mmCIF file of all heavy atoms in Angstrom:
data_model
loop_
_atom_site.group_PDB
_atom_site.id
_atom_site.type_symbol
_atom_site.label_atom_id
_atom_site.label_comp_id
_atom_site.label_asym_id
_atom_site.label_seq_id
_atom_site.Cartn_x
_atom_site.Cartn_y
_atom_site.Cartn_z
ATOM 1 N N LEU B 651 -6.043 3.274 -9.412
ATOM 2 C CA LEU B 651 -5.206 4.270 -8.888
ATOM 3 C C LEU B 651 -3.764 4.120 -9.365
ATOM 4 O O LEU B 651 -3.325 3.007 -9.474
ATOM 5 C CB LEU B 651 -5.259 4.387 -7.399
ATOM 6 C CG LEU B 651 -6.585 4.453 -6.680
ATOM 7 C CD1 LEU B 651 -6.578 4.515 -5.131
ATOM 8 C CD2 LEU B 651 -7.469 5.692 -7.252
ATOM 9 N N SER B 652 -3.062 5.137 -9.515
ATOM 10 C CA SER B 652 -1.702 5.125 -9.875
ATOM 11 C C SER B 652 -0.902 6.042 -8.938
ATOM 12 O O SER B 652 -1.356 7.056 -8.481
ATOM 13 C CB SER B 652 -1.503 5.661 -11.327
ATOM 14 O OG SER B 652 -2.039 4.736 -12.181
ATOM 15 N N CYS B 653 0.354 5.651 -8.782
ATOM 16 C CA CYS B 653 1.307 6.563 -7.895
ATOM 17 C C CYS B 653 2.621 6.647 -8.688
ATOM 18 O O CYS B 653 3.175 5.564 -8.991
ATOM 19 C CB CYS B 653 1.483 5.827 -6.534
ATOM 20 S SG CYS B 653 2.782 6.647 -5.491
ATOM 21 N N ALA B 654 3.058 7.741 -8.951
ATOM 22 C CA ALA B 654 4.316 7.986 -9.641
ATOM 23 C C ALA B 654 5.260 8.408 -8.535
ATOM 24 O O ALA B 654 5.001 9.353 -7.736
ATOM 25 C CB ALA B 654 4.172 9.001 -10.700
ATOM 26 N N ALA B 655 6.450 7.702 -8.518
ATOM 27 C CA ALA B 655 7.388 7.916 -7.456
ATOM 28 C C ALA B 655 8.603 8.496 -8.043
ATOM 29 O O ALA B 655 9.349 7.928 -8.993
ATOM 30 C CB ALA B 655 7.855 6.618 -6.728
ATOM 31 N N SER B 656 9.081 9.583 -7.402
ATOM 32 C CA SER B 656 10.249 10.245 -7.818
ATOM 33 C C SER B 656 11.256 9.899 -6.706
ATOM 34 O O SER B 656 11.445 10.543 -5.638
ATOM 35 C CB SER B 656 10.190 11.769 -7.881
ATOM 36 O OG SER B 656 9.246 12.089 -8.846
ATOM 37 N N VAL B 657 11.876 8.724 -6.858
ATOM 38 C CA VAL B 657 12.841 8.226 -5.935
ATOM 39 C C VAL B 657 13.924 7.314 -6.658
ATOM 40 O O VAL B 657 13.547 6.647 -7.501
ATOM 41 C CB VAL B 657 12.185 7.471 -4.784
ATOM 42 C CG1 VAL B 657 11.274 6.353 -5.414
ATOM 43 C CG2 VAL B 657 13.041 6.989 -3.672
ATOM 44 N N SER B 658 15.172 7.342 -6.089
ATOM 45 C CA SER B 658 16.072 6.512 -6.666
ATOM 46 C C SER B 658 15.841 5.119 -5.733
ATOM 47 O O SER B 658 15.312 5.110 -4.763
ATOM 48 C CB SER B 658 17.612 7.020 -6.305
ATOM 49 O OG SER B 658 17.715 7.374 -4.908
ATOM 50 N N SER B 659 16.369 4.067 -6.487
ATOM 51 C CA SER B 659 16.197 2.693 -5.812
ATOM 52 C C SER B 659 14.829 2.422 -5.509
ATOM 53 O O SER B 659 14.601 1.721 -4.416
ATOM 54 C CB SER B 659 17.095 2.690 -4.501
ATOM 55 O OG SER B 659 18.488 2.915 -4.794
ATOM 56 N N PHE B 660 13.867 2.727 -6.393
ATOM 57 C CA PHE B 660 12.477 2.456 -6.238
ATOM 58 C C PHE B 660 12.312 0.961 -5.957
ATOM 59 O O PHE B 660 11.488 0.644 -5.063
ATOM 60 C CB PHE B 660 11.669 2.837 -7.423
ATOM 61 C CG PHE B 660 10.232 2.457 -7.355
ATOM 62 C CD1 PHE B 660 9.281 3.301 -6.685
ATOM 63 C CD2 PHE B 660 9.771 1.390 -8.165
ATOM 64 C CE1 PHE B 660 7.949 2.961 -6.627
ATOM 65 C CE2 PHE B 660 8.354 1.036 -8.079
ATOM 66 C CZ PHE B 660 7.509 1.763 -7.395
ATOM 67 N N SER B 661 12.909 0.132 -6.620
ATOM 68 C CA SER B 661 12.644 -1.369 -6.443
ATOM 69 C C SER B 661 13.137 -1.786 -5.001
ATOM 70 O O SER B 661 12.660 -2.823 -4.792
ATOM 71 C CB SER B 661 13.683 -2.015 -7.454
ATOM 72 O OG SER B 661 14.946 -1.861 -7.329
ATOM 73 N N SER B 662 13.739 -1.079 -4.264
ATOM 74 C CA SER B 662 14.196 -1.429 -2.864
ATOM 75 C C SER B 662 13.033 -1.202 -1.974
ATOM 76 O O SER B 662 13.090 -1.703 -0.831
ATOM 77 C CB SER B 662 15.361 -0.804 -2.483
ATOM 78 O OG SER B 662 16.468 -1.064 -3.304
ATOM 79 N N TYR B 663 12.068 -0.353 -2.249
ATOM 80 C CA TYR B 663 10.983 0.085 -1.340
ATOM 81 C C TYR B 663 9.896 -0.957 -1.298
ATOM 82 O O TYR B 663 9.431 -1.490 -2.348
ATOM 83 C CB TYR B 663 10.450 1.442 -1.681
ATOM 84 C CG TYR B 663 11.371 2.604 -1.464
ATOM 85 C CD1 TYR B 663 12.371 2.901 -2.282
ATOM 86 C CD2 TYR B 663 11.152 3.396 -0.315
ATOM 87 C CE1 TYR B 663 13.269 3.996 -1.975
ATOM 88 C CE2 TYR B 663 11.862 4.539 -0.049
ATOM 89 C CZ TYR B 663 12.972 4.873 -0.879
ATOM 90 O OH TYR B 663 13.786 5.872 -0.621
ATOM 91 N N THR B 664 9.361 -1.127 -0.126
ATOM 92 C CA THR B 664 8.038 -1.704 -0.010
ATOM 93 C C THR B 664 7.065 -0.591 -0.234
ATOM 94 O O THR B 664 7.109 0.410 0.294
ATOM 95 C CB THR B 664 7.757 -2.303 1.458
ATOM 96 O OG1 THR B 664 8.685 -3.429 1.662
ATOM 97 C CG2 THR B 664 6.286 -2.685 1.541
ATOM 98 N N MET B 665 6.103 -0.853 -1.069
ATOM 99 C CA MET B 665 5.130 0.111 -1.553
ATOM 100 C C MET B 665 3.758 -0.204 -1.085
ATOM 101 O O MET B 665 3.386 -1.557 -1.078
ATOM 102 C CB MET B 665 5.091 0.306 -3.167
ATOM 103 C CG MET B 665 6.351 0.784 -3.675
ATOM 104 S SD MET B 665 6.851 2.361 -3.162
ATOM 105 C CE MET B 665 5.501 3.398 -3.670
ATOM 106 N N GLY B 666 2.969 0.724 -0.793
ATOM 107 C CA GLY B 666 1.639 0.380 -0.239
ATOM 108 C C GLY B 666 0.545 1.461 -0.482
ATOM 109 O O GLY B 666 0.929 2.587 -0.859
ATOM 110 N N TRP B 667 -0.725 0.974 -0.445
ATOM 111 C CA TRP B 667 -1.862 1.956 -0.500
ATOM 112 C C TRP B 667 -2.457 1.877 0.806
ATOM 113 O O TRP B 667 -2.779 0.746 1.380
ATOM 114 C CB TRP B 667 -2.810 1.506 -1.719
ATOM 115 C CG TRP B 667 -2.274 1.782 -3.023
ATOM 116 C CD1 TRP B 667 -1.702 0.856 -3.783
ATOM 117 C CD2 TRP B 667 -2.344 2.894 -3.770
ATOM 118 N NE1 TRP B 667 -1.474 1.454 -5.004
ATOM 119 C CE2 TRP B 667 -1.815 2.712 -4.954
ATOM 120 C CE3 TRP B 667 -2.728 4.208 -3.386
ATOM 121 C CZ2 TRP B 667 -1.640 3.757 -5.878
ATOM 122 C CZ3 TRP B 667 -2.632 5.320 -4.302
ATOM 123 C CH2 TRP B 667 -2.071 4.925 -5.505
ATOM 124 N N TYR B 668 -2.711 3.060 1.359
ATOM 125 C CA TYR B 668 -3.521 3.247 2.619
ATOM 126 C C TYR B 668 -4.779 3.990 2.238
ATOM 127 O O TYR B 668 -4.754 4.853 1.263
ATOM 128 C CB TYR B 668 -2.737 3.855 3.685
ATOM 129 C CG TYR B 668 -1.616 2.952 4.221
ATOM 130 C CD1 TYR B 668 -0.544 2.766 3.480
ATOM 131 C CD2 TYR B 668 -1.666 2.471 5.515
ATOM 132 C CE1 TYR B 668 0.637 1.767 4.010
ATOM 133 C CE2 TYR B 668 -0.735 1.636 6.101
ATOM 134 C CZ TYR B 668 0.410 1.340 5.271
ATOM 135 O OH TYR B 668 1.358 0.570 5.829
ATOM 136 N N ARG B 669 -5.898 3.987 3.135
ATOM 137 C CA ARG B 669 -6.937 4.880 2.956
ATOM 138 C C ARG B 669 -7.366 5.291 4.325
ATOM 139 O O ARG B 669 -7.107 4.695 5.451
ATOM 140 C CB ARG B 669 -8.030 4.141 2.243
ATOM 141 C CG ARG B 669 -8.692 3.054 3.060
ATOM 142 C CD ARG B 669 -9.720 2.333 2.282
ATOM 143 N NE ARG B 669 -10.309 1.195 2.981
ATOM 144 C CZ ARG B 669 -11.089 0.184 2.348
ATOM 145 N NH1 ARG B 669 -11.161 0.143 1.064
ATOM 146 N NH2 ARG B 669 -11.534 -0.805 3.118
ATOM 147 N N GLN B 670 -8.023 6.492 4.335
ATOM 148 C CA GLN B 670 -8.553 7.111 5.512
ATOM 149 C C GLN B 670 -10.019 7.562 5.191
ATOM 150 O O GLN B 670 -10.128 8.465 4.341
ATOM 151 C CB GLN B 670 -7.666 8.227 6.024
ATOM 152 C CG GLN B 670 -8.037 8.706 7.381
ATOM 153 C CD GLN B 670 -6.940 9.612 8.024
ATOM 154 O OE1 GLN B 670 -6.058 10.074 7.365
ATOM 155 N NE2 GLN B 670 -7.093 9.755 9.316
ATOM 156 N N ALA B 671 -10.941 7.063 6.041
ATOM 157 C CA ALA B 671 -12.327 7.469 5.852
ATOM 158 C C ALA B 671 -12.590 8.568 6.864
ATOM 159 O O ALA B 671 -11.857 8.670 7.875
ATOM 160 C CB ALA B 671 -13.357 6.421 6.102
ATOM 161 N N PRO B 672 -13.552 9.382 6.631
ATOM 162 C CA PRO B 672 -13.756 10.529 7.608
ATOM 163 C C PRO B 672 -14.128 9.988 8.981
ATOM 164 O O PRO B 672 -14.843 9.025 9.175
ATOM 165 C CB PRO B 672 -15.128 11.168 7.046
ATOM 166 C CG PRO B 672 -15.094 10.843 5.551
ATOM 167 C CD PRO B 672 -14.389 9.440 5.521
ATOM 168 N N GLY B 673 -13.277 10.531 9.902
ATOM 169 C CA GLY B 673 -13.498 10.160 11.262
ATOM 170 C C GLY B 673 -12.855 8.891 11.759
ATOM 171 O O GLY B 673 -13.047 8.321 12.872
ATOM 172 N N LYS B 674 -12.096 8.228 10.733
ATOM 173 C CA LYS B 674 -11.404 6.973 11.117
ATOM 174 C C LYS B 674 -9.911 7.044 10.889
ATOM 175 O O LYS B 674 -9.434 8.026 10.221
ATOM 176 C CB LYS B 674 -12.029 5.906 10.202
ATOM 177 C CG LYS B 674 -13.417 5.588 10.428
ATOM 178 C CD LYS B 674 -13.802 4.297 9.584
ATOM 179 C CE LYS B 674 -15.249 3.961 9.938
ATOM 180 N NZ LYS B 674 -15.769 2.727 9.101
ATOM 181 N N GLN B 675 -9.207 6.139 11.488
ATOM 182 C CA GLN B 675 -7.662 6.152 11.327
ATOM 183 C C GLN B 675 -7.355 5.593 9.867
ATOM 184 O O GLN B 675 -8.128 4.883 9.306
ATOM 185 C CB GLN B 675 -7.144 5.161 12.410
ATOM 186 C CG GLN B 675 -7.265 5.772 13.776
ATOM 187 C CD GLN B 675 -6.429 4.936 14.755
ATOM 188 O OE1 GLN B 675 -6.331 3.625 14.512
ATOM 189 N NE2 GLN B 675 -5.978 5.522 15.761
ATOM 190 N N ARG B 676 -6.214 6.018 9.545
ATOM 191 C CA ARG B 676 -5.647 5.543 8.221
ATOM 192 C C ARG B 676 -5.371 4.017 8.355
ATOM 193 O O ARG B 676 -4.828 3.616 9.445
ATOM 194 C CB ARG B 676 -4.306 6.276 7.965
ATOM 195 C CG ARG B 676 -3.844 6.011 6.494
ATOM 196 C CD ARG B 676 -2.740 6.984 6.176
ATOM 197 N NE ARG B 676 -3.058 8.478 6.259
ATOM 198 C CZ ARG B 676 -2.213 9.438 5.958
ATOM 199 N NH1 ARG B 676 -1.043 9.060 5.440
ATOM 200 N NH2 ARG B 676 -2.579 10.607 6.108
ATOM 201 N N GLU B 677 -5.756 3.297 7.313
ATOM 202 C CA GLU B 677 -5.580 1.775 7.405
ATOM 203 C C GLU B 677 -4.934 1.354 6.123
ATOM 204 O O GLU B 677 -5.034 1.887 5.098
ATOM 205 C CB GLU B 677 -6.982 1.114 7.528
ATOM 206 C CG GLU B 677 -7.933 1.458 6.383
ATOM 207 C CD GLU B 677 -9.241 0.686 6.532
ATOM 208 O OE1 GLU B 677 -9.347 -0.079 7.520
ATOM 209 O OE2 GLU B 677 -10.102 0.752 5.775
ATOM 210 N N LEU B 678 -4.220 0.073 6.231
ATOM 211 C CA LEU B 678 -3.536 -0.537 5.109
ATOM 212 C C LEU B 678 -4.632 -1.044 4.204
ATOM 213 O O LEU B 678 -5.582 -1.754 4.509
ATOM 214 C CB LEU B 678 -2.617 -1.518 5.560
ATOM 215 C CG LEU B 678 -2.064 -2.380 4.470
ATOM 216 C CD1 LEU B 678 -0.957 -1.535 3.701
ATOM 217 C CD2 LEU B 678 -1.432 -3.620 4.998
ATOM 218 N N VAL B 679 -4.458 -0.713 2.909
ATOM 219 C CA VAL B 679 -5.338 -1.425 1.865
ATOM 220 C C VAL B 679 -4.618 -2.608 1.311
ATOM 221 O O VAL B 679 -5.187 -3.680 1.230
ATOM 222 C CB VAL B 679 -5.767 -0.388 0.804
ATOM 223 C CG1 VAL B 679 -6.463 -0.992 -0.329
ATOM 224 C CG2 VAL B 679 -6.601 0.668 1.386
ATOM 225 N N ALA B 680 -3.413 -2.255 0.791
ATOM 226 C CA ALA B 680 -2.543 -3.401 0.160
ATOM 227 C C ALA B 680 -1.133 -2.918 0.122
ATOM 228 O O ALA B 680 -0.907 -1.665 0.146
ATOM 229 C CB ALA B 680 -3.103 -3.691 -1.251
ATOM 230 N N ALA B 681 -0.288 -3.867 0.105
ATOM 231 C CA ALA B 681 1.168 -3.552 0.119
ATOM 232 C C ALA B 681 1.874 -4.630 -0.821
ATOM 233 O O ALA B 681 1.364 -5.718 -1.051
ATOM 234 C CB ALA B 681 1.780 -3.598 1.496
ATOM 235 N N ILE B 682 3.070 -4.102 -1.404
ATOM 236 C CA ILE B 682 3.797 -5.017 -2.174
ATOM 237 C C ILE B 682 5.219 -4.779 -1.861
ATOM 238 O O ILE B 682 5.764 -3.654 -1.821
ATOM 239 C CB ILE B 682 3.573 -4.883 -3.635
ATOM 240 C CG1 ILE B 682 4.393 -5.797 -4.459
ATOM 241 C CG2 ILE B 682 3.763 -3.418 -4.095
ATOM 242 C CD1 ILE B 682 3.838 -5.914 -6.125
ATOM 243 N N THR B 683 6.053 -5.786 -1.529
ATOM 244 C CA THR B 683 7.328 -5.771 -1.106
ATOM 245 C C THR B 683 8.278 -5.596 -2.422
ATOM 246 O O THR B 683 7.914 -5.724 -3.552
ATOM 247 C CB THR B 683 7.842 -6.970 -0.334
ATOM 248 O OG1 THR B 683 7.849 -8.054 -1.231
ATOM 249 C CG2 THR B 683 6.902 -7.314 0.731
ATOM 250 N N SER B 684 9.538 -5.445 -2.129
ATOM 251 C CA SER B 684 10.466 -5.253 -3.210
ATOM 252 C C SER B 684 10.703 -6.577 -4.032
ATOM 253 O O SER B 684 10.996 -6.604 -5.145
ATOM 254 C CB SER B 684 11.870 -4.903 -2.691
ATOM 255 O OG SER B 684 12.285 -5.816 -1.787
ATOM 256 N N GLU B 685 10.376 -7.741 -3.403
ATOM 257 C CA GLU B 685 10.327 -8.930 -3.992
ATOM 258 C C GLU B 685 9.137 -9.428 -4.747
ATOM 259 O O GLU B 685 8.966 -10.365 -5.341
ATOM 260 C CB GLU B 685 10.678 -10.067 -3.011
ATOM 261 C CG GLU B 685 12.045 -10.043 -2.464
ATOM 262 C CD GLU B 685 12.123 -9.021 -1.248
ATOM 263 O OE1 GLU B 685 11.114 -8.690 -0.756
ATOM 264 O OE2 GLU B 685 13.347 -8.752 -0.688
ATOM 265 N N GLY B 686 8.029 -8.507 -4.593
ATOM 266 C CA GLY B 686 6.814 -8.741 -5.251
ATOM 267 C C GLY B 686 5.717 -9.347 -4.381
ATOM 268 O O GLY B 686 4.712 -9.792 -4.861
ATOM 269 N N THR B 687 6.127 -9.731 -3.137
ATOM 270 C CA THR B 687 5.051 -10.227 -2.320
ATOM 271 C C THR B 687 3.955 -9.205 -1.903
ATOM 272 O O THR B 687 4.288 -8.105 -1.565
ATOM 273 C CB THR B 687 5.735 -10.791 -1.012
ATOM 274 O OG1 THR B 687 6.709 -11.746 -1.346
ATOM 275 C CG2 THR B 687 4.853 -11.450 -0.046
ATOM 276 N N THR B 688 2.833 -9.794 -1.981
ATOM 277 C CA THR B 688 1.625 -8.794 -1.841
ATOM 278 C C THR B 688 0.890 -9.184 -0.446
ATOM 279 O O THR B 688 0.932 -10.287 -0.043
ATOM 280 C CB THR B 688 0.631 -8.894 -2.918
ATOM 281 O OG1 THR B 688 0.232 -10.144 -3.061
ATOM 282 C CG2 THR B 688 1.243 -8.344 -4.253
ATOM 283 N N ASN B 689 0.224 -8.178 0.081
ATOM 284 C CA ASN B 689 -0.521 -8.334 1.209
ATOM 285 C C ASN B 689 -1.680 -7.379 1.199
ATOM 286 O O ASN B 689 -1.644 -6.287 0.755
ATOM 287 C CB ASN B 689 0.325 -7.836 2.571
ATOM 288 C CG ASN B 689 -0.451 -8.029 3.777
ATOM 289 O OD1 ASN B 689 -1.007 -8.935 4.164
ATOM 290 N ND2 ASN B 689 -0.207 -6.973 4.639
ATOM 291 N N TYR B 690 -2.881 -8.034 1.515
ATOM 292 C CA TYR B 690 -4.053 -7.198 1.433
ATOM 293 C C TYR B 690 -4.906 -7.200 2.829
ATOM 294 O O TYR B 690 -4.821 -8.195 3.575
ATOM 295 C CB TYR B 690 -5.057 -7.794 0.375
ATOM 296 C CG TYR B 690 -4.449 -7.740 -1.046
ATOM 297 C CD1 TYR B 690 -3.720 -8.796 -1.532
ATOM 298 C CD2 TYR B 690 -4.773 -6.732 -1.894
ATOM 299 C CE1 TYR B 690 -3.164 -8.732 -2.760
ATOM 300 C CE2 TYR B 690 -4.231 -6.668 -3.165
ATOM 301 C CZ TYR B 690 -3.479 -7.638 -3.628
ATOM 302 O OH TYR B 690 -2.955 -7.621 -4.984
ATOM 303 N N ALA B 691 -5.619 -6.083 2.952
ATOM 304 C CA ALA B 691 -6.567 -6.078 4.131
ATOM 305 C C ALA B 691 -7.673 -7.045 3.775
ATOM 306 O O ALA B 691 -7.969 -7.356 2.520
ATOM 307 C CB ALA B 691 -7.260 -4.614 4.175
ATOM 308 N N ASP B 692 -8.254 -7.652 4.794
ATOM 309 C CA ASP B 692 -9.252 -8.628 4.715
ATOM 310 C C ASP B 692 -10.364 -7.976 3.752
ATOM 311 O O ASP B 692 -11.073 -8.709 3.032
ATOM 312 C CB ASP B 692 -9.786 -9.134 5.898
ATOM 313 C CG ASP B 692 -8.811 -10.096 6.690
ATOM 314 O OD1 ASP B 692 -7.833 -10.607 5.999
ATOM 315 O OD2 ASP B 692 -8.924 -10.296 7.825
ATOM 316 N N SER B 693 -10.674 -6.846 4.043
ATOM 317 C CA SER B 693 -11.868 -6.233 3.340
ATOM 318 C C SER B 693 -11.584 -5.955 1.887
ATOM 319 O O SER B 693 -12.583 -5.682 1.186
ATOM 320 C CB SER B 693 -12.136 -4.847 4.045
ATOM 321 O OG SER B 693 -11.095 -4.028 3.886
ATOM 322 N N THR B 694 -10.375 -6.113 1.399
ATOM 323 C CA THR B 694 -10.198 -5.865 -0.053
ATOM 324 C C THR B 694 -9.664 -7.105 -0.764
ATOM 325 O O THR B 694 -9.617 -7.009 -1.945
ATOM 326 C CB THR B 694 -9.042 -4.741 -0.213
ATOM 327 O OG1 THR B 694 -7.768 -5.158 0.366
ATOM 328 C CG2 THR B 694 -9.540 -3.588 0.539
ATOM 329 N N LYS B 695 -9.480 -8.109 -0.119
ATOM 330 C CA LYS B 695 -8.998 -9.408 -0.771
ATOM 331 C C LYS B 695 -9.994 -9.881 -1.840
ATOM 332 O O LYS B 695 -11.154 -9.884 -1.453
ATOM 333 C CB LYS B 695 -8.721 -10.450 0.291
ATOM 334 C CG LYS B 695 -7.405 -10.367 1.133
ATOM 335 C CD LYS B 695 -7.372 -11.474 2.107
ATOM 336 C CE LYS B 695 -6.153 -11.248 2.947
ATOM 337 N NZ LYS B 695 -6.013 -12.349 3.951
ATOM 338 N N GLY B 696 -9.456 -10.210 -2.986
ATOM 339 C CA GLY B 696 -10.396 -10.762 -3.993
ATOM 340 C C GLY B 696 -10.935 -9.639 -4.842
ATOM 341 O O GLY B 696 -11.581 -9.882 -5.929
#
């Protein structure tokens, strides 16, 4: 998946991917901070 962002100061944003399955709440899949630190849902690690 790709996301193109039209935003100034993109590097300052924490960016993330979320997903929503039918009948379920939106959940975090993965995120990456402005410093490059990553965070993953347990179900997607590895």
Side-chain angles (χ1 to χ4, degrees):
L651 304 183
S652 296
C653 173
S656 299
V657 59
S658 59
S659 303
F660 174 80
S661 61
S662 299
Y663 284 78
T664 290
M665 300 297 298
W667 288 99
Y668 289 71
R669 67 186 177 196
Q670 187 165 18
K674 295 188 176 181
Q675 290 189 331
R676 192 173 298 187
E677 63 176 358
L678 174 70
V679 173
I682 184 166
T683 69
S684 57
E685 294 85 10
T687 300
T688 57
N689 180 41
Y690 294 91
D692 287 343
S693 61
T694 64
K695 285 179 182 176

